Amino acid sequence: MLSVSSQDSTLCSPAFTKMGSNKMELSSQNIDLESDEESPLTLSQSAGAKQSFQFEASHISVPKTKSHVLRKLQHTAFHSVYVVLFKAKINVLLPFGPLAVVLHYVTGRHGWVFFFSLLGITPLAERLGYATEQLSCYTGNTVGGLLNATFGNATEMIISIYALKNGMIRVVQQSLLGSILSNMLLVLGCAFFTGGIVHYPKVQRFNQTAAIVSSGLLLMAVMGILFPAVLHFTHTEVHFGKSELALSRFSSCIMLVAYASYLFFQLKSHANLYDSVEEESENNGVDSDDKDIPEITMWESIAWLTILTLWVSILSGYLVDAIQGASESWNMPVSFISVILLPIVGNAAEHASAIMFAMKDKLDITLGVAIGSSTQISMFVIPFCVVVGWIMGQQMDLNFQLFETATLFITVLVVAFMLQEGTSNYFKGVMLILCYLIVAASFFVHVDKSDDE
C-alpha cells in the first residue's frame, strides 16, 4: 500500500517532469488533443466517456448545420417560389388558368373556358388564404383580422366587381348568397364530420359565446336582405322600384357600420372572448410553434398577395364572360352555376383550413373560418357591392328574390340551432352536408324569373 501511494505521489509531484521530459511532451500533446476534443463536454475524463461524448457531439453538430442552411434557404426567392407555387398539391391545377385564356381566344367555347377558369382559380383562392395567413404572423391580431376580412374573400369580391361592371347583378347576388350557404352548410358540415370521425367518441367543444355573437350577426344580415324583398313582393313601396333601392343602400350602410363595430368588439373591447384558441396553442408547445413560425417573409407575403390578386382578377374576367355560354352549352341554370359552382371555388381556402383545424381539435378556429367568413360576406361584402354598384351607376340592391331569401333564412336558423350547445360531432356534420345537398338540388331545378324577363 505504501509503495502504491508513493508511486502516485511521485506521479503527482514536480519531480516527475525531470524523470522523463519526452514522455511529458507526448502526454501533454495527448492532453491538449483530448482537451480540444472535450472542451465542449468537460464532464468526463475517461477515454470511453470521451468517445461517447464525441459520438454525441457529432450528432448534435449535424442538426445545427442543417438548421443553419435551412435558415439561409428560407430567405431566398427560390424557397419562396417553392413554398407558394410547388409545395401545395392543389397547385397542380395552376396550368388550367393560362389554358382557359388560350381557349378563350382560340376556340371561343364558353363551356370549356368556364370549366378551366374554374379549375385555375381554385388553387389561387387557396394560395391567397395561405399568403394572408403568413402575413398575419407578422402583423398581429388586429391587422391580421382586417387582412382576413379583405383577402379572405378576395375571390368573391373580385368576381362580384367584374360581374357588376357587366351589369350581371343577379350573378353577384347569387354568387355571394351561395358563398354564405357553402360556408355555413358544406364547409362547416365537412369540418364537423371529419373532426367527429377523427376524434370519435369524443365530443368536440368550441367557444359558445363567440358562436352566438356570429349567429346574431347572420340573423341581422338576413333581416337586412329580407325587408327589401318583402317590400318588393308585397307591392307596398311608396315609389315603386325606387323605395326598394333606397332602402337597400341605407341598410347596406348600416350593415357596414355594424360590421365595423363587430371588428372593434372582437379585436379590441372584448378580445378575451376569442382568446381560448390562443391559450390552447400556448399550452401545447408543438402546435403553437408550428402555427407561429412563418415560412416566408413579410415582404414576400405582400408580393405574393399582389401577384395572386392580379391573376385572380384576370381569370375572373374570363370566368364571368363565360357564365352565360356555359349555362347554354351545359344546359344548366345560371342560378345553379352562381350559387353552387362559383362559391365552391371561392371557398377552397376556407374549406381546406376548416377541415384541417377540426382534425386538430381546434374547433374555435374552424368556426372562425367557416362562420366568420359567412359573417364577412353577409355583413361586409354584400353591402360593399351595393355601395360599389351605387358608385358605378348599377342598381345593385338587397332584393335577393323570395326563393333565395327564404333559403338563406332557413339556413341561418339551422346553423344557429346547431351551434347553440357549443358542441360538435360527426352527426351534426352529416346533417349540414345533407342540407347543402337539398339546397343544391333546389337551385338545379330553380329558374330565375329575371332570366326570363
Side-chain angles (χ1 to χ4, degrees):
M1 295 295 293
L2 294 173
S3 61
V4 173
S5 62
S6 62
Q7 289 178 0
D8 293 339
S9 62
T10 56
L11 290 175
C12 297
S13 63
F16 177 76
T17 57
K18 297 180 181 179
M19 296 174 62
S21 60
N22 295 331
K23 295 182 179 180
M24 183 62 185
E25 292 176 356
L26 293 174
S27 63
S28 63
Q29 291 178 0
N30 292 331
I31 292 172
D32 292 335
L33 291 174
E34 292 176 2
S35 62
D36 291 337
E37 293 177 353
E38 295 178 358
S39 58
L41 302 167
T42 58
L43 296 177
S44 100
Q45 296 178 355
S46 63
K50 180 185 71 176
Q51 293 178 356
S52 64
F53 280 124
Q54 287 176 354
F55 177 78
E56 292 177 2
S58 63
H59 282 268
I60 293 173
S61 61
V62 172
K64 289 182 179 179
T65 57
K66 287 185 178 180
S67 63
H68 183 67
V69 172
L70 288 176
R71 288 176 183 176
K72 287 186 176 180
L73 184 62
Q74 287 179 354
H75 296 287
T76 61
F78 174 78
H79 176 76
S80 177
V81 173
Y82 167 75
V83 169
V84 177
L85 296 183
F86 296 100
K87 188 176 181 179
K89 295 180 180 179
I90 197 174
N91 290 339
V92 177
L93 302 176
L94 283 176
F96 287 104
L99 182 60
V101 178
V102 173
L103 288 177
H104 175 79
Y105 291 104
V106 174
T107 63
R109 295 183 179 180
H110 296 290
W112 288 107
V113 173
F114 178 82
F115 178 70
F116 287 132
S117 299
L118 212 62
L119 292 179
I121 289 180
T122 302
L124 295 177
E126 193 274 336
R127 292 289 87 185
L128 269 175
Y130 170 79
T132 305
E133 179 184 357
Q134 293 295 305
L135 185 58
S136 63
C137 294
Y138 299 96
T139 57
N141 293 333
T142 304
V143 182
L146 296 176
L147 289 173
N148 289 327
T150 53
F151 288 102
N153 296 307
T155 306
E156 289 89 345
M157 293 181 66
I158 293 172
I159 293 176
S160 300
I161 291 174
Y162 267 94
L164 274 178
K165 286 184 177 180
N166 296 335
M168 304 172 69
I169 296 177
R170 289 297 293 158
V171 172
V172 176
Q173 293 176 336
Q174 291 175 342
S175 64
L176 294 178
L177 172 71
S179 184
I180 298 174
L181 299 177
S182 174
N183 276 310
M184 288 195 296
L185 295 179
L186 183 62
V187 175
L188 189 62
C190 291
F192 279 0
F193 177 75
T194 54
I197 293 297
V198 171
H199 297 280
Y200 178 82
K202 174 185 177 181
V203 176
Q204 293 182 291
R205 300 185 179 277
F206 51 85
N207 191 334
Q208 186 177 5
T209 304
I212 292 175
V213 172
S214 298
S215 301
L217 278 175
L218 290 171
L219 287 173
M220 180 181 177
V222 170
M223 184 177 68
I225 294 174
L226 179 63
F227 286 155
V230 173
L231 189 67
H232 175 79
F233 287 98
T234 55
H235 303 287
T236 56
E237 300 176 79
V238 176
H239 302 286
F240 183 77
K242 295 182 179 179
S243 299
E244 169 196 341
L245 183 61
L247 176 61
S248 298
R249 290 171 176 173
F250 176 79
S251 299
S252 297
C253 295
I254 297 298
M255 292 164 70
L256 289 175
V257 172
Y259 182 73
S261 303
Y262 167 69
L263 288 180
F264 181 79
F265 175 84
Q266 180 185 20
L267 303 174
K268 197 70 176 177
S269 64
H270 289 71
N272 58 330
L273 296 179
Y274 300 87
D275 286 342
S276 59
V277 173
E278 297 179 359
E279 291 176 358
E280 291 177 1
S281 63
E282 288 176 0
N283 293 331
N284 190 351
V286 177
D287 292 340
S288 63
D289 291 340
D290 293 340
K291 178 186 174 184
D292 294 334
I293 297 177
E295 294 183 323
I296 57 178
T297 63
M298 182 180 68
W299 290 108
E300 288 173 348
S301 302
I302 296 174
W304 281 114
L305 280 175
T306 305
I307 295 172
L308 293 172
T309 304
L310 290 176
W311 184 227
V312 168
S313 64
I314 293 173
L315 280 184
S316 299
Y318 295 98
L319 183 71
V320 171
D321 292 338
I323 287 178
Q324 190 64 40
S327 174
E328 296 173 357
S329 62
W330 293 352
N331 194 19
M332 187 179 295
V334 177
S335 59
F336 180 81
I337 295 177
S338 302
V339 176
I340 304 301
L341 296 184
L342 290 181
I344 290 178
V345 173
N347 294 332
E350 289 90 344
H351 208 151
S353 300
I355 293 177
M356 178 187 66
F357 287 120
M359 294 177 66
K360 293 182 178 180
D361 199 16
K362 295 182 178 180
L363 279 188
D364 287 326
I365 305 180
T366 297
L367 288 179
V369 172
I371 303 300
S373 180
S374 299
T375 304
Q376 291 171 8
I377 295 173
S378 60
M379 296 297 293
F380 175 72
V381 179
I382 291 178
F384 177 78
C385 289
V386 173
V387 174
V388 170
W390 189 3
I391 297 173
M392 290 181 179
Q394 300 287 346
Q395 294 186 351
M396 169 73 183
D397 56 19
L398 295 178
N399 179 15
F400 280 42
Q401 307 298 324
L402 283 180
F403 184 81
E404 289 85 348
T405 305
T407 304
L408 177 62
F409 180 60
I410 298 300
T411 299
V412 172
L413 286 182
V414 170
V415 174
F417 277 109
M418 294 286 185
L419 299 179
Q420 65 179 353
E421 295 180 354
T423 60
S424 167
N425 52 60
Y426 75 92
F427 182 65
K428 286 185 177 181
V430 170
M431 286 192 291
L432 291 176
I433 294 173
L434 294 179
C435 288
Y436 186 76
L437 293 179
I438 294 176
V439 170
S442 301
F443 277 97
F444 188 78
V445 299
H446 171 66
V447 177
D448 194 4
K449 291 183 178 180
S450 61
D451 294 338
D452 299 334
E453 294 176 355

